[in-house]
Amino acid sequence: MDSTITMPYDSTTPTVDFSATSTRCATPVNSPPIHVLPLKELAAQKQPIRVELDACEDPKNMSLLHKWSIVTIISMSALCVTCNSGVAPFTESGIQREFKISPEVSILTISLFSEGLGIGPVLLGPLSEFYGRNLVYWSSYACFWISTFPVAFAHNAPVHLIFRFWGGFAGSAFLSVAGGSVSDLFTDASLSTPMAVYTLCPFIGPVLGPAISGAINQHLNWRWTYYVQLIWESAQLLCLIAFVPETHVPTLLRRKISQLRKAAGGPVYIDDSQMMQHGVLQAVVQSCVKPFQLVLHEQMILLLDLWNALILGILYLTFQAFPIIFERDHGYDMQSTGLTFLAIGLGMVISLATQPCWNWFEARKAAGHLDGVPPEFRLSMGKVGGILVPCALLIMAFTSPPSITPVLPILASILFGIGIIYVFTSTFTYLVAAYRPCAASALASNAAFRLTFAAVFPLFAKQMCTRLGTEGALGLLAGLTAVACPLPFIFAKVGERLRGKSRFAI
């Protein structure tokens, strides 16, 4: 590795070049001459030095093809993880018969996995700041893969359910760390599209899962659902190990510092700003406490988290509601019912296709602001999504009775999928823009709320649909989302004032 180190404390201090350690990157033609010091003399330098990555070492300077291949692999890995939550609904009848458990207990196969997804990011996220993205990816995905074996081959319900939780916990790294990898690769100006692609995958997983699981369980034993997942997970793990390099810049710098110290044969004094200031235990404790501090002290974060949690809870509630609407009331078989979930996925893909329009709209707005658009502008997409979600649920409520063609609730599901992505994309980008110093904690609190609701909602879905009917249940949910609909409009008006009073926001 080529290593260029500058000494910023004294402008007369020469740049120290370690080109002897490896092949150099191409040096720009207009670069000033470099005074090369022998490696042995570095140990005698008492003045702190600062290590920098060369142009060819910076992840942002990778080729566009290489960047997108990394984003694709990471996004597909996240898709595989969340798809694992969506495959469970159509396995419930199989595990009820084989393990002799009640329907209420069988629903835990969804809820425990979702709860693992919610808890994991708070603990696994900080580890990537100390050990790099790759070590967390490899270890967490390997544990996720291993946890699927007991789920697939379990001989009793406790083993099956316990490892469903641990599988969700291990796979959750791709809901917290993967976004950091995308930001490692792209500058702020080019981040929107790859981040939108990554954001889509964890949400399309829960609607792709039922389509896969419905087809499998229609013809095969429920265990084949997880056999297929194991094959997919094996392929993703191999791709992660073979094709995804380390992209975390502080980790790359620490590795470079370690190599230079070894090459120098003695102690090398490094600028304090490049050394780890806190231990990993302190970082994990802080990551557990900070999200709760934000929720308790920041009204905007609390309300936006509850809004997002309600919508994701409703998405997971469809795991129980769609079989009632399409399988029981309209006479669809299991495979056809699973395919109806793809309508929500189609809406999500359509929302991604509109991303260039939103990018153009944002660039046009930014042109009128010398200091860039305020964070509240990020809520524009959420305004549209906030209206689409209750409208879609209301249409589903009116068209769900067996006497009405099932095409209409399926079309309404497309609008629901568009609204979901608009709401989540808007909220995520706003939280990052408004709370940049503690963005990771803000997103962690959002994930914890969302996935807790996703774990709870399926538990009462059947009872609610039985007592209220599908029309009443969906109508109630439409009303709840309609109550939350004004949030992006309100915060677009008063958000700047609230941020001015906050000790966490910028």
Side-chain angles (χ1 to χ4, degrees):
M1 178 187 295
D2 175 49
S3 305
T4 303
I5 303 179
T6 59
M7 300 183 183
Y9 301 95
D10 182 359
S11 59
T12 62
T13 302
T15 298
V16 184
D17 178 61
F18 294 93
S19 55
T21 61
S22 69
T23 306
R24 277 194 64 83
C25 303
T27 303
V29 176
N30 296 325
S31 297
I34 296 176
H35 178 200
V36 179
L37 294 178
L39 289 175
K40 295 294 184 182
E41 293 185 14
L42 181 63
Q45 298 288 327
K46 301 297 183 182
Q47 196 173 19
I49 59 177
R50 185 172 182 81
V51 179
E52 302 289 354
L53 294 178
D54 292 323
C56 63
E57 299 168 335
D58 190 341
K60 287 184 171 62
N61 293 329
M62 291 180 179
S63 69
L64 193 60
L65 178 62
H66 194 185
K67 289 180 182 179
W68 272 103
S69 66
I70 295 171
V71 171
T72 301
I73 292 171
I74 291 173
S75 299
M76 289 300 294
S77 299
L79 174 66
C80 181
V81 169
T82 56
C83 186
N84 212 304
S85 66
V87 299
F90 290 109
T91 67
E92 289 177 24
S93 59
I95 64 176
Q96 287 170 31
R97 290 192 303 269
E98 186 162 339
F99 297 150
K100 295 178 174 57
I101 56 177
S102 66
E104 290 75 19
V105 174
S106 68
I107 296 174
L108 291 175
T109 191
I110 304 171
S111 298
L112 289 174
F113 188 89
S114 300
E115 192 58 37
L117 287 177
I119 296 174
V122 177
L123 300 176
L124 297 177
L127 298 181
S128 69
E129 303 298 322
F130 288 85
Y131 304 113
R133 315 286 192 209
N134 273 4
L135 184 60
V136 173
Y137 285 153
W138 298 346
S139 57
S140 66
Y141 214 82
C143 291
F144 171 60
W145 174 66
I146 291 170
S147 296
T148 308
F149 279 92
V151 169
F153 295 96
H155 293 293
N156 56 68
V159 171
H160 178 86
L161 295 175
I162 288 171
F163 281 95
R164 280 291 287 171
F165 172 81
W166 284 113
F169 181 88
S172 67
F174 285 82
L175 304 184
S176 58
V177 180
S181 291
V182 177
S183 63
D184 291 340
L185 295 169
F186 294 88
T187 61
D188 289 345
S190 58
L191 184 61
S192 295
T193 300
M195 188 62 80
V197 171
Y198 162 69
T199 302
L200 173 68
C201 288
F203 292 107
I204 207 170
V207 298
L208 179 63
I212 296 172
S213 180
I216 293 172
N217 286 273
Q218 178 73 26
H219 306 286
L220 299 169
N221 182 273
W222 68 269
R223 294 182 185 273
W224 274 97
T225 306
Y226 297 106
Y227 298 160
V228 172
Q229 281 292 124
L230 277 170
I231 296 171
W232 187 3
E233 292 165 18
S234 301
Q236 289 298 143
L237 182 59
L238 291 175
C239 287
L240 284 168
I241 295 173
F243 301 115
V244 177
E246 181 59 64
T247 60
H248 188 230
V249 171
T251 299
L252 293 173
L253 284 171
R254 288 196 294 270
R255 291 179 183 177
K256 189 169 187 175
I257 291 168
S258 177
Q259 290 180 357
L260 295 179
R261 281 174 168 165
K262 184 177 180 181
V268 176
Y269 297 90
I270 304 298
D271 181 2
D272 287 342
S273 65
Q274 294 191 284
M275 305 303 293
M276 298 300 297
Q277 302 297 321
H278 306 290
V280 63
L281 181 60
Q282 182 179 353
V284 170
V285 171
Q286 185 177 1
S287 76
C288 294
V289 173
K290 194 67 170 286
F292 294 101
Q293 287 181 322
L294 292 173
V295 168
L296 291 174
H297 292 94
E298 298 294 320
Q299 297 173 347
M300 289 194 293
I301 290 182
L302 173 61
L303 292 175
L304 289 174
D305 286 356
L306 288 172
W307 183 37
N308 285 199
L310 174 63
I311 292 175
L312 190 69
I314 293 171
L315 175 62
Y316 274 70
L317 183 142
T318 62
F319 292 163
Q320 307 299 322
F322 272 29
I324 294 174
I325 295 172
F326 297 105
E327 194 170 351
R328 188 194 70 181
D329 294 346
H330 287 286
Y332 281 24
D333 61 20
M334 190 179 293
Q335 180 173 336
S336 299
T337 302
L339 292 176
T340 61
F341 285 87
L342 293 182
I344 301 176
L346 175 60
M348 293 178 176
V349 173
I350 291 172
S351 70
L352 177 63
T354 65
Q355 186 63 42
C357 299
W358 289 104
N359 292 345
W360 172 82
F361 185 51
E362 182 178 337
R364 188 176 179 182
K365 283 286 186 180
H369 295 77
L370 295 178
D371 298 328
V373 294
E376 284 69 31
F377 174 74
R378 312 288 182 178
L379 295 171
S380 299
M381 190 183 291
K383 296 175 184 178
V384 178
I387 295 172
L388 285 177
V389 168
C391 289
L393 290 172
L394 198 60
I395 295 171
M396 275 193 257
F398 283 126
T399 59
S400 62
S403 58
I404 300 176
T405 174
V407 173
L408 293 178
I410 291 174
L411 292 176
S413 300
I414 297 175
L415 293 178
F416 183 53
I418 296 173
I420 287 173
I421 297 302
Y422 280 176
V423 168
F424 288 136
T425 302
S426 171
T427 304
F428 295 167
T429 53
Y430 178 71
L431 290 177
V432 170
Y435 295 90
R436 189 171 293 277
C438 51
S441 296
L443 293 177
S445 70
N446 187 280
F449 267 82
R450 287 194 334 263
L451 290 158
T452 298
F453 273 52
V456 171
F457 270 51
L459 295 174
F460 61 79
K462 285 184 178 178
Q463 292 86 340
M464 185 170 74
C465 290
T466 300
R467 286 180 175 271
L468 303 178
T470 53
E471 305 96 314
L474 291 171
L476 174 61
L477 296 173
L480 291 174
T481 54
V483 170
C485 174
L487 285 177
F489 295 91
I490 294 171
F491 291 144
K493 291 290 186 183
V494 304
E496 186 173 359
R497 186 167 73 248
L498 293 176
R499 284 190 292 110
K501 301 177 181 178
S502 171
R503 60 191 176 101
F504 297 104
I506 59 173

